[in-house]
Amino acid sequence: MTPPSDLHAVPASATPAAASAHGPHLPGARTAGLFAHLRQDAPASLVVFLVALPLCLGIALASGVPLMAGLVSGIVGGLVVGALSGSHLSVSGPAAGLVVIVVGAIASLGSYPAFLTAVVLAGALQWVLGRLRAGNIGACFPAPVIQGMLAAIGMLLIIKQLPVAFGFQSTEQALGTVPSAADSLDAARHLFGAASLSATMTAAGALAILFAWDTPFARRLPLIGRLPGPLLAVVWGVGCHAAALATVPAAALTEAQRVNLPEVHSLAGLWSQFAAPDWTALADPRVYTVALTLALVASLETLLSLEATDRLDPLKRVAPPNRELRAQGIGNIVAGLLGGLPITAVIVRSSANVQAGARSRLSAILHGLLLLASLLFLAEFLEWIPLAALAAVLLHTGYKLAKPALVRAAWRAGWGVFIPFAVTVGAILATDLLMGILIGLASSMLFVIESNTRGALSMLTEGRMHLLRLNKDVSFFSRATLRGYLSRVHEGDALVIEGSDCRFLDRDIRETLQDFLAHADERGIQVECRSLPAQMPEAGLSGAVGVAGLLALLRPRARPVPAAR
């Protein structure tokens, strides 16, 4: 049975390239397809909205930007990207994975408006990547590097949000309470003494709810088990604040410890709240570095989320990655122009969309409308949300990205997985996200090279007779191994070079063999080259023992000779 479809639905067997080749539908068909699954998409959009609202606010909080910026990105991710995307179930918005870049970029560029210029440039670059059909870029990054990137982001989220969970507005404010001459114990006493008990209790209860909601027992609870954990954590925080106001007002959270949004009563009023890019920042070369970093990391996270969402799709539809890059690019251009955070496809919201029963991209569009409505009509109620509850949501997200089980899995997978994973984590923590990814990629490439060159050459010997086998294509990385083998062939020995399994010899390998052959006669070494790739000179065997005889002698008692170190 053919699955129901909306705009650009493709069968499960279709490839992303084939999906992106589909032509546009007629306007009437687009409208009919968009609302074909309204009965499933409308309730799903409500669930996604309830998940996205605290995440949008929390990510803006972690990024150190106005909370309005997170909501703007959520709205653009739903309305703009949702309308242009070829994915049926993917949901876009501000991503926790970009928090590290945002914080570092704003500090580097000196202002948020300058950073918005970089967001617009990053969106334009993403659109160009989509036009160049670079949608398969995600496949160029090995899994250990991607896992290391996510784990490092999780650790940084935990580091950044712990002070907020204790009632501080930022890490810098927390450190400001510690005297410069204080030792470790004194610093801890000052920090705990300045912490807010109400904020700490709020964050602890919210974390308990979030971890409890990950258990199978909570998911089986009727009705309440279907509610998203982040929403319940926020409701807990609001309840704690309301209870404190009613009983002990002095213990209630201050205005600085709660969400603070500008009052918006109309679309015109909303428009006046948008920040604008600082176009003079185009003269700063650092803007282009930030834009490139944003474009690459956001594209990578989008493509990985897209692939994961396609796997979750019960109808097994495949989203065209190049169209998704173009949609994300336009979304980031719009978000940057309106003062929002950069946007990616986000697996947390996308998986909630799938689990809620969505069938088309209408769910993502409607969730954007709900975010817009909450900003217009619910801003007064949103200001009851404690920042500590949002910090707990991000702490939980950071834990899931960097939980110990992932480290144990990388360790059990062997050095070839664990070392690139660990190097990526350490490099990101020590430098920045882009440099850390590049360092992790380089470490992973070393293992790829090692595995590809392992066993390329082998040597069998019996007395003064040797058989050198080229077991597969040989690159210059095997030159040291080859020289080690050839050094064991002495004057008066016989050598057969067997290359029937080799189709390519690197130039350095050819030159090494040619140099050996050029002096073999002078040293009295009998050499026979068999089945070597083209352009390799043949050398005849001058002694009494022929190739067949040599192979026959070697076969019964052959023993491998280790490569020279």
Side-chain angles (χ1 to χ4, degrees):
M1 179 178 177
T2 304
S5 63
D6 63 314
L7 177 62
H8 291 279
V10 287
S13 59
T15 64
S20 62
H22 282 248
H25 290 226
L26 295 175
R30 292 171 66 99
T31 304
L34 183 62
F35 293 98
H37 305 286
L38 180 62
R39 189 175 64 176
Q40 294 90 357
D41 291 334
S45 68
L46 178 60
V47 173
V48 178
F49 159 72
L50 295 175
V51 173
L53 179 61
L55 289 176
C56 289
L57 294 171
I59 291 168
L61 170 68
S63 301
V65 301
L67 298 184
M68 171 76 79
L71 291 174
V72 167
S73 293
I75 293 167
V76 173
L79 298 182
V80 177
V81 180
L84 298 176
S85 172
S87 174
H88 297 267
L89 299 176
S90 179
V91 181
S92 298
L98 298 182
V99 167
V100 182
I101 299 178
V102 173
V103 173
I106 294 175
S108 172
L109 298 177
S111 69
Y112 186 55
F115 172 73
L116 293 177
T117 304
V119 174
V120 175
L121 293 177
L125 183 55
Q126 279 187 293
W127 186 86
V128 171
L129 290 174
R131 295 298 300 176
L132 294 177
R133 299 186 177 276
N136 292 323
I137 188 175
C140 300
F141 291 83
V145 174
I146 295 171
Q147 292 166 353
M149 176 191 74
L150 296 176
I153 289 170
M155 293 178 186
L156 289 169
L157 278 177
I158 293 172
I159 293 170
K160 292 286 185 182
Q161 292 307 302
L162 268 177
V164 182
F166 285 103
F168 300 101
Q169 291 182 330
S170 64
T171 303
E172 290 73 21
Q173 185 200 10
L175 294 177
T177 63
V178 180
S180 57
D183 57 22
S184 299
L185 290 177
D186 284 339
R189 280 195 291 268
H190 278 92
L191 285 173
F192 283 111
S196 166
L197 180 61
S198 297
T200 305
M201 296 278 293
T202 299
L207 274 175
I209 291 171
L210 290 165
F211 280 106
W213 243 244
D214 282 342
T215 62
F217 171 77
R219 296 194 191 99
R220 289 195 298 266
L221 293 175
L223 296 178
I224 195 172
R226 297 177 61 89
L227 294 175
L231 173 65
L232 294 176
V234 168
V235 170
W236 158 265
V238 172
C240 287
H241 178 61
L245 283 177
T247 56
V248 188
L253 297 172
T254 66
E255 184 177 344
Q257 294 172 329
R258 292 181 281 114
V259 167
N260 184 15
L261 293 173
E263 292 187 10
V264 177
H265 302 290
S266 65
L267 289 176
L270 177 62
W271 183 265
S272 67
Q273 298 296 330
F274 292 150
D278 178 10
W279 300 113
T280 61
L282 291 173
D284 187 350
R286 293 173 296 182
V287 167
Y288 302 96
T289 302
V290 171
L292 177 62
T293 304
L294 279 174
L296 292 178
V297 177
S299 298
L300 178 61
E301 183 165 348
T302 289
L303 294 171
L304 294 175
S305 298
L306 197 66
E307 182 179 350
T309 305
D310 285 345
R311 293 179 181 178
L312 295 174
D313 186 359
L315 301 181
K316 301 304 177 186
R317 295 163 293 188
V318 179
N322 295 311
R323 177 175 170 181
E324 185 67 24
L325 282 183
R326 295 195 297 271
Q328 295 289 336
I330 294 174
N332 275 315
I333 291 173
V334 174
L337 291 174
L338 298 180
L341 289 167
I343 293 170
T344 73
V346 191
I347 189 57
V348 174
R349 275 157 267 188
S350 300
S351 60
N353 196 32
V354 174
Q355 293 166 7
R359 285 295 179 267
S360 77
R361 59 197 174 89
L362 178 63
S363 175
I365 297 173
L366 292 177
H367 118 276
L369 286 173
L370 289 172
L371 286 173
L372 177 60
S374 71
L375 188 56
L376 290 173
F377 306 113
L378 300 178
E380 182 179 350
F381 299 98
L382 295 179
E383 292 183 353
W384 280 65
I385 299 176
L387 297 181
L390 299 179
V393 172
L394 292 170
L395 287 172
H396 183 250
T397 301
Y399 172 80
K400 289 197 293 185
L401 290 174
K403 56 186 176 182
L406 298 176
V407 181
R408 289 196 297 269
W411 174 264
R412 288 195 296 266
W415 292 115
V417 172
F418 180 76
I419 289 182
F421 170 84
V423 166
T424 303
V425 172
I428 290 175
L429 295 177
T431 58
D432 56 52
L433 198 62
L434 181 59
M435 183 58 66
I437 291 173
L438 294 177
I439 293 173
L441 186 61
S443 70
S444 184
M445 289 300 297
L446 292 177
F447 282 93
V448 172
I449 292 168
E450 190 274 335
S451 63
N452 286 337
T453 57
R454 187 190 306 126
L457 300 170
S458 62
M459 192 169 184
L460 301 174
T461 189
E462 180 64 32
R464 306 193 67 178
M465 293 172 288
H466 312 274
L467 173 62
L468 175 63
R469 291 187 183 275
L470 312 183
N471 298 317
K472 55 184 178 180
D473 295 348
V474 187
S475 70
F476 68 91
F477 293 105
S478 299
R479 181 167 55 178
T481 302
L482 176 61
R483 286 177 174 174
Y485 285 147
L486 294 179
S487 68
R488 284 167 165 73
V489 182
H490 304 291
E491 293 183 4
D493 287 358
L495 172 67
V496 172
I497 303 176
E498 168 63 41
S500 58
D501 295 326
C502 178
R503 295 294 177 267
F504 168 77
L505 280 180
D506 187 84
R507 180 175 180 176
D508 289 342
I509 300 297
R510 289 180 183 277
E511 290 179 353
T512 301
L513 289 174
Q514 288 168 349
D515 290 343
F516 180 85
L517 293 173
H519 298 90
D521 286 342
E522 301 173 7
R523 301 170 59 194
I525 298 174
Q526 307 165 40
V527 182
E528 176 73 18
C529 298
R530 303 182 65 231
S531 304
L532 292 181
Q535 302 178 4
M536 190 68 223
E538 298 291 332
L541 187 64
S542 57
V545 180
V547 174
L550 176 61
L551 293 176
L553 286 171
L554 290 174
R555 192 174 296 114
R557 293 176 293 176
R559 52 189 173 87
V561 177
R565 296 291 181 186

